[in-house]
């Protein structure tokens, strides 16, 4: 046999062996799921794909699931395509002795984990009279599930309320004290805060403040609250005006974009996810509108997906979101292509046993994580989508979607971890 024929023979032989190995792996993974009593009780979507693009095993790949916070993968991809390296902190225009500012939706201003003070220093050091412009076309509805969306978020639109050793309340930011009111009509034996049905008040029952009380809670946020907080923070008078942004309005950038994305993805911050889509909308046009960013992304960056996502919000809180495992897998591909650097991409995702929402879910392997994935949880829903590395040095993409189970979420999570750990150890 000459050398050329030998090479052809070996190529065919290796191809056959590779195909047989893939079939064997597919059977092994299928049996893992078949032997799992928990995974037989509810609606499961799963895809395991080799780095080269070959599917090892799939289950219900084109069925629609409620994705919960897996939605943030699409939010991240939209932001990577629309925003630049830095986040636009505010728009401004100088008119005579007046500095007019418009919020961009940047949630980093005075955020305890994000702020780099660029916007604060710009405003505090300005010698101009300050005007906070309200675009008359933009209004945000209050939310019972997360901090209110706003043009000009401050402190993450959350307040820290604690009691000291004497039972006195300590509020940060202090200005929020103006909006706290004792309501004697609240019939409860438990001390706590609730939002008023109308207006900007935080209501508290007429009860003694418990020693050791410690709570982080969203405060009602609108332009008037923004003005009060901004005045108290800058120690300057602020005037609210209604004014559209002029064409020549300038942009002041705040923090590196990656730092905002990490703080959205790792703890799965719903407020940051929605504000990021508002930021994107402000770059695309003159208004801050989550729906405009979603529509633009679906029509442009996600147009070719095999199964078109039903995409309703940035965070995944909406149960009207519907994605297929195929769609999520395609987004993982797109994220790889967009980011380019796999190590950079991993920094956006919780690492099993190390960080974010997977810190306590997985054990590391000799101190190293082997799973990097975005989680998602709503009642009766739990998901993971991302990348897994095996002991044999292989990297796989995976999408693991669980809907409509009736067991405690912890049991579903533990079974997912068990299955993915087995794949890590055997493949």
């Amino acid at each position: 046999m000459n050398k050329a024929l030998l090479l052809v023979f070996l190529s065919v032989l290796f191809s056959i062996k590779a195909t047989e190995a893939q079939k064997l792996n597919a059977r092994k993974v299928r049996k893992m799921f078949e032997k799992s009593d928990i995974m037989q009780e509810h609606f499961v979507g799963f895809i395991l794909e080799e780095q080269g693009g070959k599917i090892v095993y799939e289950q219900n790949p084109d069925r629609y699931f409620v994705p919960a916070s897996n939605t943030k993968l699409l939010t991240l991809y939209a932001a990577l395509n629309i925003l630049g390296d830095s986040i636009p902190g505010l728009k401004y225009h100088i008119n005579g002795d007046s500095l007019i500012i418009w919020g961009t939706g940047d949630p980093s201003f005075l955020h305890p984990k994000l702020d780099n003070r660029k916007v604060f220093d710009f405003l505090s050091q300005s010698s101009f009279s300050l005007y906070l412009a309200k675009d008359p076309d933009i209004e945000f509805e209050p939310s019972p599930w997360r901090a209110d969306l706003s043009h000009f978020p401050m402190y993450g639109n959350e307040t820290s309320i604690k009691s000291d050793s004497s039972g006195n309340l300590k509020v940060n930011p202090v200005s929020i004290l103006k909006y706290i009111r004792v309501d004697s009509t609240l019939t409860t034996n438990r001390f706590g805060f609730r939002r008023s049905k109308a207006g900007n008040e935080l209501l508290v029952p007429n009860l003694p403040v418990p020693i050791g009380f410690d709570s982080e809670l969203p405060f009602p946020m609108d332009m008037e609250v923004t003005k009060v907080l901004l005045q108290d923070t800058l120690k300057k008078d602020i005037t609210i005006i209604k004014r559209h942004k002029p064409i020549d309005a300038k942009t002041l950038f705040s923090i590196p974009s990656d730092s905002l994305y990490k703080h959205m993805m790792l703890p799965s911050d719903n407020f940051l996810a929605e504000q990021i889509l508002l930021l994107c909308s402000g770059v695309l046009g003159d208004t801050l509108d989550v729906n405009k960013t979603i529509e633009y992304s679906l029509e442009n960056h996600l147009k070719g997906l095999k199964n078109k996502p039903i995409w309703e919000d940035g965070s995944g809180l909406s149960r009207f979101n519907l994605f297929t495992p195929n769609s999520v897998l395609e987004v993982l591909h797109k994220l790889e292509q967009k980011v380019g650097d796999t190590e950079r991409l991993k920094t956006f995702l919780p690492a099993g046993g190390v960080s974010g929402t997977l810190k306590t879910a997985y054990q590391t392997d000799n101190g190293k994580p082997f799973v990097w994935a975005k989680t998602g949880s709503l009642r009766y829903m739990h998901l993971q989508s991302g990348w897994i590395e095996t002991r044999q040095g292989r990297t796989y993409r995976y999408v693991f979607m669980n809907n409509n189970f009736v067991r405690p979420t912890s049991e579903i999570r533990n079974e997912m971890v068990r299955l993915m750990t087995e794949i890590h150890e055997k493949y």
Side-chain angles (χ1 to χ4, degrees):
M1 183 180 294
N2 60 38
K3 186 176 181 180
L5 289 175
L6 178 60
L7 289 174
V8 171
F9 173 76
L10 291 175
S11 176
V12 172
L13 181 61
F14 290 149
S15 177
I16 292 173
K17 287 185 175 181
T19 302
E20 290 176 348
Q22 287 172 354
K23 290 180 179 179
L24 179 61
N25 286 341
R27 288 196 295 270
K28 287 180 179 178
V29 177
R30 184 180 67 251
K31 286 182 178 180
M32 285 169 51
F33 276 83
E34 290 174 349
K35 290 179 179 179
S36 170
D37 292 338
I38 291 178
M39 291 299 155
Q40 304 306 310
E41 297 174 353
H42 59 271
F43 193 33
V44 177
F46 182 81
I47 303 178
L48 184 68
E49 183 189 54
E50 293 179 355
Q51 190 66 18
K54 292 184 178 180
I55 301 297
V56 176
Y57 176 72
E58 59 185 6
Q59 184 173 326
N60 293 319
D62 56 359
R63 302 295 184 182
Y64 281 86
F65 291 75
V66 177
S69 282
N70 266 205
T71 304
K72 293 183 178 74
L73 289 166
L74 275 68
T75 299
L76 174 63
Y77 186 63
L80 288 168
N81 280 285
I82 296 170
L83 302 178
D85 293 336
S86 297
I87 296 299
L90 57 77
K91 296 278 188 176
Y92 69 95
H93 179 70
I94 296 174
N95 185 13
D97 62 353
S98 301
L99 174 60
I100 307 170
I101 60 173
W102 289 262
T104 59
D106 177 13
S108 71
F109 183 60
L110 299 181
H111 191 291
K113 296 181 180 178
L114 289 170
D115 188 37
N116 65 1
R117 297 185 67 85
K118 281 187 179 179
V119 174
F120 176 85
D121 290 343
F122 175 77
L123 296 176
S124 64
Q125 295 169 12
S126 172
S127 60
F128 295 99
S129 299
L130 290 178
Y131 291 85
L132 178 61
K134 172 178 169 56
D135 191 318
D137 297 333
I138 306 173
E139 296 289 345
F140 299 114
E141 293 293 328
S143 170
W145 310 113
R146 50 156 170 74
D148 285 356
L149 303 186
S150 61
H151 308 73
F152 205 108
M154 299 179 65
Y155 304 99
N157 290 359
E158 283 194 345
T159 180
S160 169
I161 303 179
K162 302 179 181 180
S163 66
D164 61 19
S165 58
S166 301
N168 298 313
L169 286 179
K170 300 293 183 181
V171 180
N172 185 38
V174 176
S175 309
I176 295 300
L177 276 170
K178 300 175 183 180
Y179 300 98
I180 294 177
R181 179 171 67 85
V182 175
D183 187 348
S184 58
T185 66
L186 294 176
T187 56
T188 178
N189 294 323
R190 185 177 181 181
F191 184 87
F193 292 83
R194 67 179 63 179
R195 183 176 185 151
S196 60
K197 293 183 178 179
N200 297 323
E201 293 178 321
L202 290 172
L203 306 178
V204 64
N206 189 15
L207 295 171
V209 180
I211 302 299
F213 181 81
D214 189 346
S215 180
E216 302 275 342
L217 68 154
F219 52 75
M221 190 66 165
D222 60 16
M223 291 296 282
E224 185 60 36
V225 177
T226 302
K227 171 191 169 181
V228 170
L229 291 175
L230 205 52
Q231 282 187 153
D232 289 357
T233 299
L234 297 173
K235 310 302 180 187
K236 293 184 176 184
D237 289 333
I238 307 289
T239 303
I240 295 178
I241 59 173
K242 289 188 176 182
R243 186 78 57 88
H244 287 289
K245 290 186 288 292
I247 296 175
D248 60 346
K250 296 181 179 179
T251 302
L252 177 68
F253 291 91
S254 59
I255 63 172
S257 299
D258 279 13
S259 63
L260 179 57
Y261 302 154
K262 291 172 188 176
H263 278 90
M264 169 186 66
M265 297 292 284
L266 295 179
S268 202
D269 191 302
N270 297 319
F271 169 69
L272 294 185
E274 303 296 346
Q275 291 288 156
I276 284 172
L277 290 192
L278 292 181
L279 279 164
C280 291
S281 175
V283 171
L284 294 172
D286 291 332
T287 59
L288 306 186
D289 187 336
V290 167
N291 291 325
K292 287 191 174 181
T293 301
I294 290 174
E295 290 169 5
Y296 179 86
S297 296
L298 288 173
E299 291 174 4
N300 293 273
H301 307 302
L302 300 173
K303 187 174 183 179
L305 295 188
K306 182 180 179 181
N307 307 123
K308 183 179 179 179
I310 308 300
W311 185 11
E312 296 292 328
D313 67 4
S315 61
L317 283 175
S318 173
R319 289 177 177 264
F320 292 109
N321 290 309
L322 290 172
F323 303 166
T324 70
N326 272 334
S327 295
V328 177
L329 181 67
E330 288 182 89
V331 172
L332 296 181
H333 276 272
K334 288 179 176 293
L335 284 169
E336 287 183 21
Q337 294 165 4
K338 184 64 183 178
V339 174
D341 181 358
T342 305
E343 293 306 310
R344 178 189 170 207
L345 182 56
K346 287 179 180 178
T347 66
F348 296 143
L349 297 169
V354 174
S355 62
T357 53
L358 289 178
K359 186 173 183 178
T360 60
Y362 285 87
Q363 298 293 318
T364 59
D365 193 342
N366 291 321
K368 296 182 179 180
F370 56 84
V371 162
W372 295 264
K374 184 70 200 76
T375 60
S377 288
L378 288 172
R379 194 174 184 184
Y380 312 127
M381 323 284 179
H382 193 64
L383 311 92
Q384 290 179 20
S385 298
W387 290 264
I388 181 169
E389 292 181 356
T390 71
R391 285 180 176 172
Q392 296 184 25
R394 297 188 178 94
T395 299
Y396 296 90
R397 302 174 195 91
Y398 78 98
V399 180
F400 202 160
M401 310 179 88
N402 296 273
N403 277 194
N404 302 335
F405 52 80
V406 294
R407 288 174 177 262
T409 299
S410 59
E411 294 185 19
I412 305 301
R413 181 189 301 111
N414 291 341
E415 184 66 355
M416 293 171 71
V417 169
R418 185 188 71 79
L419 292 169
M420 296 312 299
T421 300
E422 188 172 340
I423 288 173
H424 162 71
E425 292 172 348
K426 295 183 177 179
Y427 294 87

